[in-house]
Amino acid sequence: NAGVTQTPKFQVLKTGQSMTLQCAQDMNHEYMSWYRQDPGMGLRLIHYSVGAGITDQGEVPNGYNVSRSTTEDFPLRLLSAAPSQTSVYFCASSFRSESLHFGNGTRLTVT
Amino acid sequence: AQSVTQLGSHVSVSEGALVLLRCNYSSSVPPYLFWYVQYPNQGLQLLLKYTSAATLVKGINGFEAEFKKSETSFHLTKPSAHMSDAAEYFCAVTSTGNQFYFGTGTSLTVIP
């Protein structure tokens, strides 16, 4: 079982560049979400989706866009990267209120 | 609004000693509560979850947690620490299943 797959694992960007973090799940989960993890701050929700065509903002959505065209995929777009977006990003999926299944993360550095 | 507070960002225990990691939550509705573990350079893995059945929840690797509504707590325990338990532990809460709120984490060190 692949579960939740995130690509790339590592990325270095320059300020102002754009990129897309990819997330795919093969469990037919309705719910998908993106978190960022920063030292001492735990995981903070960026955006989430409860199904194809439906997205909503979490705690820290500024500077990030998402779309959900299929059940399987939930990409996260950084439109103009800033050093404050240096973080580890995790994608997670779940079925209703069941537990979250996490990917292995993308470590992003913005210089 | 919901939130989770984990007391103690770092906890050290001797191998074989009791592990106690604290989690308090706030929620205006009955919550679902979770404990996750994160090993270095990995994603989070589910240890256990409370979903309004038994208040004492048993998880993997010998961990368990007790839901205490009167104290709004969901502390994680393990009777005897093992070296392999060294990791970061996160408590999380959701009431809707749409937004999960995580604590800031507790790093557990096990001293041989």
Side-chain angles (χ1 to χ4, degrees), chain A residues 31 35 37 40-43 45 48 50 57-59 90 94 96-105 107, chain B residues 32 34 36 38 41-46 49 51 88 90 94-105:
Chain A
Y31 176 84
Y35 290 85
Q37 183 179 22
M41 303 191 75
L43 279 79
L45 181 63
Y48 66 96
V50 298
Q57 297 180 350
E59 302 171 70
F90 287 100
S94 71
R96 296 179 184 172
S97 297
E98 294 295 310
S99 61
L100 292 170
H101 295 254
F102 283 87
N104 285 329
R107 189 174 295 273
Chain B
Y32 297 98
F34 306 83
Y36 288 87
Q38 184 181 33
N41 300 315
Q42 294 187 25
L44 279 72
Q45 304 171 29
L46 179 68
K49 62 181 178 183
T51 56
E88 185 135 22
F90 293 92
T94 185
S95 59
T96 64
N98 291 343
Q99 296 199 50
F100 288 71
Y101 295 89
F102 285 81
T104 53

Side-chain angles (χ1 to χ4, degrees), chain B:
Chain B
Q2 300 169 72
S3 67
V4 172
T5 301
Q6 291 184 240
L7 291 176
S9 57
H10 297 275
V11 171
S12 294
V13 299
S14 298
E15 191 175 15
L18 172 71
V19 175
L20 171 61
L21 305 183
R22 300 179 185 273
C23 172
N24 289 88
Y25 69 92
S26 68
S27 176
S28 57
V29 297
Y32 297 98
L33 293 158
F34 306 83
W35 276 99
Y36 288 87
V37 60
Q38 184 181 33
Y39 299 102
N41 300 315
Q42 294 187 25
L44 279 72
Q45 304 171 29
L46 179 68
L47 270 180
L48 50 81
K49 62 181 178 183
Y50 168 76
T51 56
S52 76
T55 57
L56 181 62
V57 182
K58 294 186 183 298
I60 62 171
N61 300 337
F63 285 94
E64 62 182 35
E66 185 173 8
F67 173 68
K68 292 187 176 181
K69 184 177 179 180
S70 61
E71 299 177 8
T72 61
S73 69
F74 190 57
H75 301 331
L76 181 71
T77 60
K78 181 174 181 177
S80 177
H82 191 273
M83 296 299 294
S84 61
D85 295 328
E88 185 135 22
Y89 293 79
F90 293 92
C91 183
V93 63
T94 185
S95 59
T96 64
N98 291 343
Q99 296 199 50
F100 288 71
Y101 295 89
F102 285 81
T104 53
T106 298
S107 178
L108 176 66
T109 300
V110 182
I111 304 167

